[in-house]
Amino acid sequence: MATDTGRSAVYGGSAINGTSSLEAGAELERTLDRLEARMEALQLSMRTHRTSPRFELWWHDLRGTRETWFRLVDPDGQDPTPERS
């Protein structure tokens, strides 16, 4: 992701923590990017194949992926968008 969404709090704070916090931050960023790409792919599948027997499975997977993404970005926050939006 190119934009900062307040993820620095998740990284553990300041540069004093050293290299391990940088590595942890980079790994978190990669994880968030993978989850975001997965959500986009699932949304595309759902839009283009609404009559597919897999639609409910994709919907369930999308919800789980979104919940994971939001927990990683803001562990104390809530999903700001309602379901099925």
Side-chain angles (χ1 to χ4, degrees):
M1 283 197 123
T3 60
D4 179 40
T5 58
R7 296 179 190 164
S8 59
V10 177
Y11 295 155
S14 67
I16 296 172
N17 294 337
T19 305
S20 66
S21 69
L22 289 175
E23 290 171 0
E27 180 59 33
L28 176 62
E29 189 71 26
R30 285 189 297 273
T31 299
L32 291 171
D33 288 344
R34 284 192 303 269
L35 289 170
E36 188 172 7
R38 181 174 182 78
M39 286 188 290
E40 290 173 6
L42 287 165
Q43 289 169 341
L44 177 63
S45 294
M46 291 172 65
R47 279 194 304 271
T48 57
H49 304 291
R50 288 199 179 273
T51 59
S52 172
R54 296 185 187 110
F55 185 84
E56 288 301 318
L57 179 63
W58 291 332
W59 176 246
H60 178 74
D61 196 10
L62 177 62
R63 278 187 32 205
T65 303
R66 286 186 63 192
E67 289 169 6
T68 301
W69 190 89
F70 281 106
R71 260 195 317 271
L72 289 172
V73 170
D74 187 10
D76 298 325
Q78 294 183 345
D79 184 347
T81 54
E83 285 191 24
R84 298 219 183 235
S85 61

